[in-house]
Amino acid sequence: MPLDYTAIQNKLRVLAGQIDARQQAEAGKAEHTSVLLDSLAGQNEHTREVILSAAALNANLRSAVPTGEDITAVFHAPAISQDYTLLAADGSQVNPSRHDSIPFGVINIGVFRMDSTLQSPPREIVETRLLDLDEITNEYGLVGEEVIALRRDLRERRKLADLSKEIDGTVLALTDGPLELFRDPQGSLETQNEFEQYIGVLHQLAAQGTITAGYVDRPGSDLVVRMLGLLDPQSEQNTVSEKERSLAPLSDAYLFRNRIPPQARSAIFGIHSRSAQSYPDETALHFFYLNTGLPGKPSLARVEIPEWVAADANRVNLLHAVLLEQCAILGGMPYPYALHRSHEIALVSLLDKEQISQMIIREMIARGMNPPE
């Protein structure tokens, strides 16, 4: 049955009004928040103390935390001063579904490798895995999309660690999306074990000195805004939870869009959250905002990095410069070229899914089995 476009048309005026009101609210909060941020220049330690005090009162607090760089600082584009190898990985998946005649799961990892010296041509690397039956089921039945996504993320990083181990010299390893993973809400022992493996892979990347980063395009997060809400004198009488959300619906990207010039980045921030506490020592999560846009046309990306990268200015500078170089390749699309290619390599289409389903059915018939209709 076709859509009722008349019903949609009748609702457009309401929806457009809601979008307009939200944008105006965000713009209204931005000026006040920017002034508040400027007032905290040189007060990293005080800001950190406020965040930790708030965390003691609210275990679910989610906020940015200052690091060694002044929270108002802007860092302009550095030059690339060394050769490197770039590995960009992305993953795609087929989630098991009870609506399929034969539920199955597939994880496909695509890696694009580039050598800055151009002594060897770029390479495409594919790793495809048809999941075992016990990998797509648990005591509740078929596992959810979150479980398969966790396993995909684990395989992405493991593949990057295995490849970087074989490369001499400096290696950058990029993935699409955050480094911070949000685990299976059912909290099974199996997924907890896989999360621990993920932390182990991050430790392996650290031991290899691999410059690891997660690239978040068009970010909607508000960790810095939440941090500033905790320090806003206007919300001094509010509870911690109310302070944390007092500057909503303002996002970090909107706050920084006119503060960070093209090609520059923000200061590096740490992450305080219940989830982030699962990343110990050298794997502790950090991030910065990077403007990959043009004058008058900002385009903010959020770049997540672990402690071993955040603590090394040379590694951060190289990552900053390489990301800008990558984004320039695609011209009007400010997104890293290597990640774009890895996405193309990893993509599993509907046609691929149907082909795999038919392969499973043929194998069952060859074994004398009757496939379900």
Side-chain angles (χ1 to χ4, degrees):
M1 184 175 180
L3 292 175
D4 184 350
Y5 283 102
T6 301
I8 292 176
Q9 183 66 42
N10 292 338
K11 190 63 181 294
L12 287 180
R13 184 181 298 275
V14 175
L15 178 60
Q18 292 171 340
I19 294 173
D20 182 52
R22 184 180 181 87
Q23 290 178 341
Q24 289 188 37
E26 192 169 26
K29 294 288 181 69
E31 183 176 355
H32 167 71
T33 308
S34 187
V35 172
L36 176 60
L37 178 56
D38 286 332
S39 73
L40 295 170
Q43 299 187 49
N44 280 23
E45 189 58 37
H46 167 68
T47 302
R48 191 179 297 110
E49 290 174 357
V50 171
I51 303 306
L52 295 178
S53 296
L57 298 172
N58 182 4
N60 294 316
L61 180 70
R62 184 167 175 79
S63 169
V65 182
T67 60
E69 298 177 345
D70 188 275
I71 60 176
T72 62
V74 171
F75 297 84
H76 295 277
I80 297 178
S81 57
Q82 63 186 102
D83 295 330
Y84 62 90
T85 299
L86 175 62
L87 300 172
D90 199 5
S92 186
Q93 67 200 59
V94 174
N95 299 310
S97 171
R98 63 182 180 84
H99 299 292
D100 294 333
S101 59
I102 304 174
F104 65 91
V106 173
I107 293 176
N108 194 50
I109 305 302
V111 180
F112 186 71
R113 172 176 171 169
M114 294 180 65
D115 184 349
S116 67
T117 65
L118 302 180
Q119 293 181 353
S120 59
R123 289 176 52 197
E124 297 180 356
I125 302 159
V126 179
E127 181 180 276
T128 307
R129 178 176 173 81
L130 179 64
L131 300 180
D132 294 334
L133 190 60
D134 59 0
E135 291 181 292
I136 64 171
T137 58
N138 57 23
E139 63 268 32
Y140 304 101
L142 292 176
V143 299
E145 179 180 349
E146 300 86 357
V147 177
I148 304 299
L150 173 61
R151 292 173 179 159
R152 180 203 65 214
D153 290 333
L154 172 59
R155 291 188 178 279
E156 284 180 20
R157 273 68 174 198
R158 183 177 286 158
K159 189 64 178 178
L160 289 173
D162 291 343
L163 291 171
S164 64
K165 181 172 57 177
E166 302 169 357
I167 300 172
D168 294 328
T170 301
V171 180
L172 289 86
L174 299 182
T175 49
D176 182 73
L179 295 181
E180 183 179 11
L181 301 185
F182 298 94
R183 286 170 280 171
D184 173 22
Q186 295 172 343
S188 68
L189 292 176
E190 185 178 9
T191 53
Q192 174 61 28
N193 177 60
E194 289 180 332
F195 180 78
E196 291 172 359
Q197 292 181 51
Y198 175 73
I199 297 298
V201 172
L202 292 182
H203 282 299
Q204 181 182 343
L205 288 164
Q208 295 165 192
T210 304
I211 302 174
T212 305
Y215 189 92
V216 183
D217 188 39
R218 299 178 181 176
S221 57
D222 60 352
L223 288 171
V224 176
V225 170
R226 286 172 180 253
M227 178 190 75
L228 295 172
L230 294 169
L231 290 117
D232 188 356
Q234 292 186 5
S235 60
E236 187 174 355
Q237 303 303 318
N238 295 345
T239 66
V240 170
S241 296
E242 291 170 339
K243 289 179 180 179
E244 183 186 356
R245 301 298 298 149
S246 63
L247 298 173
L250 181 63
S251 67
D252 289 350
Y254 198 101
L255 171 64
F256 283 116
R257 65 198 300 262
N258 294 319
R259 294 183 62 94
I260 306 175
Q263 313 295 294
R265 70 165 175 90
S266 72
I268 296 173
F269 296 89
I271 300 177
H272 178 89
S273 70
R274 187 184 290 274
S275 173
Q277 292 173 14
S278 300
Y279 296 78
D281 305 324
E282 62 191 1
T283 69
L285 300 176
H286 297 71
F287 69 93
F288 61 83
Y289 285 95
L290 177 67
N291 187 353
T292 62
L294 301 171
K297 192 177 180 181
S299 179
L300 273 291
R302 183 171 181 265
V303 183
E304 284 199 7
I305 53 178
E307 168 67 26
W308 81 82
V309 177
D312 189 318
N314 291 329
R315 287 172 173 166
V316 173
N317 285 340
L318 181 60
L319 174 63
H320 181 172
V322 170
L323 286 175
L324 292 177
E325 182 179 69
Q326 283 289 307
C327 289
I329 295 175
L330 291 176
M333 179 183 175
Y335 184 80
Y337 171 73
L339 278 178
H340 177 73
R341 289 294 307 276
S342 69
H343 176 75
E344 292 179 330
I345 300 165
L347 184 64
V348 179
S349 68
L350 289 175
L351 183 61
D352 291 328
K353 179 182 177 181
E354 180 60 28
Q355 180 68 23
I356 295 168
S357 180
Q358 292 302 314
M359 292 171 67
I360 295 172
I361 290 173
R362 287 196 295 269
E363 179 62 25
M364 293 178 70
I365 293 174
R367 289 173 172 268
M369 302 168 65
N370 294 319
E373 296 182 358

